[in-house]
Amino acid sequence: MSLGLGSSKVGGSHAAAFLLGVALPMALLFLLASDRLGEGLSNVSRSWGSVGTTQQLPAADAAAPTRDQEVEFAGLAELLPKVAMEDRTVIITPVNEAWARPGSLLDLYLESFKNGEDIAHLVNHVLVVALDSLGFERCKAVHPHCYLLRVATTTANMSSAKRFNSRDYLELVWAKVTFQQRVLELGYNFLFTDADMIWFRNPFRHIALYADMSCSSDDFKPSRAPMAQPLNTGLYYMKSTNRTIEMVRYWRAARARFPGRHDQWVFVAIKRELVSKLQVRIEPLDTVYFGGFCEYHDDPERACTMHADCCIGLENKVHDLRDMAADWNKYTSLAPEERRKNKAGFKWTYPDRCRKSSRWRKPA
């Protein structure tokens, strides 16, 4: 959204001078308060680079990008309309070379759309964001919608598997937040999911439209207040509004207050600030529908996604997710009558390797 200041002709009267003295400062304040201007984006996104062409969106969709934005997000404005649903929603998942290798997490992620119930069409709206050139090349071999980003001001190796909370890991996870900010500024809603996840059903049916952000949880209790739920940013939906753009900017800026912390840790630390200062509404998602290795339910008739959280190590994630994908395929291959008989006794394969790796304990 672009804003402009009109000009005024002032006569010699004191009244006109007074009005001008009031009107111009007010207009200037309104201009500076707009979170669609993107004046600070060139400063906060200098660490980014990408490849492709650039296309300026109309003013109704987003502010005209600055020169830095054209460089940092080249081709994104051109690509998003090809991926988005009719309501301008895209599904975003990030990978590097390790996650995109054959038989690794990206393959499991994409295959789950084919094996899920009535969600095969949703894979056409998935934008895979690669953080290195090898991951980008691998993505292009298996999926039509891929986008390459580079962290330009770091010597971090973005291709290999990352040790949790290492310097390279932090660069990778904060990269996704920078990218999401630009998607919102271009006027698109998004459902972000980590790639260490498999899909079973359409999750949009269980996402509240009234919330600014809907976010998964490590464990969910209906009796808790929303901000008392342990939120997990492995899956969240955000609408493109002035408020959500400011929310992501606030989140990224808060990284400096918590050095050495990853994006989710910082988000949890500031979630109440986001609600009180920006008036955003954050809706936790029930693990009955959005399960993970931290907490899941043995109810295959309601499960929408399964996230390999509470898990350390790429091989552990792949192993335990593959087991659960096999459970799902076996269950859905049954005839409807057999599924009804087997529902009561259904059990997901216990994610033993993941839970041991993270020293998981059942929530109190």
Side-chain angles (χ1 to χ4, degrees), residues 132-180:
D132 57 77
S133 58
L134 292 175
F136 182 59
E137 292 303 317
R138 168 61 183 160
C139 174
K140 290 192 296 182
V142 296
H143 188 63
H145 304 307
C146 307
Y147 188 80
L148 174 62
L149 288 172
R150 289 194 181 100
V151 181
T153 59
T154 181
T155 58
N157 175 9
M158 303 300 285
S159 297
S160 60
K162 304 302 172 198
R163 181 173 56 84
F164 179 73
N165 233 32
S166 65
R167 177 175 174 271
D168 289 4
Y169 173 87
L170 293 175
E171 292 292 346
L172 190 152
V173 297
W174 280 104
K176 70 184 185 185
V177 186
T178 302
F179 181 80
Q180 291 161 9

Side-chain angles (χ1 to χ4, degrees), residues 338-356:
E338 289 299 310
R339 285 176 62 164
R340 284 191 290 271
K341 291 180 181 178
N342 283 272
K343 178 185 175 182
F346 178 88
K347 294 285 184 183
W348 296 107
T349 298
Y350 186 82
D352 186 65
R353 288 175 59 163
C354 278
R355 286 188 166 178
K356 283 182 177 178

Side-chain angles (χ1 to χ4, degrees), residues 165 170 174 250-271 273:
N165 233 32
L170 293 175
W174 280 104
Y250 191 99
W251 182 6
R252 291 184 60 219
R255 181 184 181 184
R257 292 160 48 193
F258 305 100
R261 297 294 188 175
H262 56 77
D263 59 323
Q264 179 176 302
W265 195 99
V266 173
F267 179 81
V268 171
I270 67 169
K271 62 184 180 181
E273 296 176 31

Side-chain angles (χ1 to χ4, degrees), residues 331-340:
Y331 178 77
T332 55
S333 68
L334 299 174
E337 183 64 26
E338 289 299 310
R339 285 176 62 164
R340 284 191 290 271

Side-chain angles (χ1 to χ4, degrees), residues 273-333:
E273 296 176 31
L274 296 171
V275 173
S276 62
K277 294 183 178 181
L278 303 182
Q279 306 301 308
V280 299
R281 184 158 187 174
I282 302 172
E283 184 72 16
L285 296 170
D286 196 328
T287 52
V288 167
Y289 305 105
F290 301 90
F293 294 166
C294 293
E295 179 179 86
Y296 60 86
H297 300 261
D298 291 314
D299 188 349
E301 290 299 316
R302 293 198 287 174
C304 293
T305 59
M306 184 68 70
H307 182 202
D309 52 8
C310 286
C311 186
I312 299 174
L314 176 59
E315 291 183 0
N316 294 329
K317 289 175 180 284
V318 171
H319 179 274
D320 288 357
L321 275 179
R322 187 175 285 129
D323 281 348
M324 289 202 172
D327 294 340
W328 169 258
N329 293 338
K330 181 179 179 180
Y331 178 77
T332 55
S333 68

Side-chain angles (χ1 to χ4, degrees), residues 35-310:
D35 61 2
R36 287 276 192 169
L37 289 175
E39 291 177 341
L41 193 59
S42 60
N43 294 324
V44 298
S45 64
R46 290 183 194 277
S47 61
W48 287 89
S50 64
V51 297
T53 58
T54 186
Q55 173 180 323
Q56 181 172 323
L57 285 185
D61 292 326
T66 66
R67 184 175 182 277
D68 284 329
Q69 290 168 351
E70 290 179 16
V71 173
E72 306 298 353
F73 298 98
L76 183 59
E78 185 176 73
L79 179 58
L80 286 173
K82 300 175 183 178
V83 187
M85 305 174 196
E86 290 184 3
D87 67 348
R88 298 175 69 86
T89 297
V90 294
I91 301 166
I92 300 171
T93 194
V95 299
N96 63 356
E97 185 272 335
W99 285 37
R101 290 172 190 163
S104 192
L105 293 173
L106 181 60
D107 282 352
L108 283 172
Y109 185 88
L110 295 176
E111 287 169 8
S112 70
F113 287 86
K114 301 175 185 177
N115 298 326
E117 290 194 343
D118 301 321
I119 57 172
H121 65 287
L122 291 178
V123 77
N124 299 321
H125 305 292
V126 172
L127 179 58
V128 179
V129 179
L131 297 174
D132 57 77
S133 58
L134 292 175
F136 182 59
E137 292 303 317
R138 168 61 183 160
C139 174
K140 290 192 296 182
V142 296
H143 188 63
H145 304 307
C146 307
Y147 188 80
L148 174 62
L149 288 172
R150 289 194 181 100
V151 181
T153 59
T154 181
T155 58
N157 175 9
M158 303 300 285
S159 297
S160 60
K162 304 302 172 198
R163 181 173 56 84
F164 179 73
N165 233 32
S166 65
R167 177 175 174 271
D168 289 4
Y169 173 87
L170 293 175
E171 292 292 346
L172 190 152
V173 297
W174 280 104
K176 70 184 185 185
V177 186
T178 302
F179 181 80
Q180 291 161 9
Q181 177 181 319
R182 188 58 183 149
V183 171
L184 292 173
E185 289 173 330
L186 288 169
Y188 289 85
N189 319 309
F190 67 79
L191 175 65
F192 171 84
T193 79
D194 282 334
D196 57 341
M197 185 175 294
I198 52 178
W199 290 52
F200 306 126
R201 290 187 179 81
N202 189 339
F204 292 101
R205 296 171 182 169
H206 303 283
I207 291 175
L209 295 178
Y210 57 80
D212 296 297
M213 177 185 190
S214 297
C215 185
S216 60
S217 309
D218 282 338
D219 67 272
F220 182 89
K221 288 183 172 57
S223 58
R224 289 192 189 119
M227 289 301 94
Q229 303 286 359
L231 300 178
N232 185 308
T233 56
L235 181 151
Y236 53 96
Y237 172 82
M238 296 186 76
K239 294 183 291 188
S240 177
T241 65
N242 288 351
R243 189 160 57 225
T244 55
I245 293 169
E246 187 60 32
M247 175 183 178
V248 177
R249 288 178 176 170
Y250 191 99
W251 182 6
R252 291 184 60 219
R255 181 184 181 184
R257 292 160 48 193
F258 305 100
R261 297 294 188 175
H262 56 77
D263 59 323
Q264 179 176 302
W265 195 99
V266 173
F267 179 81
V268 171
I270 67 169
K271 62 184 180 181
R272 288 182 171 81
E273 296 176 31
L274 296 171
V275 173
S276 62
K277 294 183 178 181
L278 303 182
Q279 306 301 308
V280 299
R281 184 158 187 174
I282 302 172
E283 184 72 16
L285 296 170
D286 196 328
T287 52
V288 167
Y289 305 105
F290 301 90
F293 294 166
C294 293
E295 179 179 86
Y296 60 86
H297 300 261
D298 291 314
D299 188 349
E301 290 299 316
R302 293 198 287 174
C304 293
T305 59
M306 184 68 70
H307 182 202
D309 52 8
C310 286

Side-chain angles (χ1 to χ4, degrees), residues 3-14:
L3 296 174
L5 289 176
S7 61
S8 299
K9 293 183 179 180
V10 183
S13 69
H14 294 293

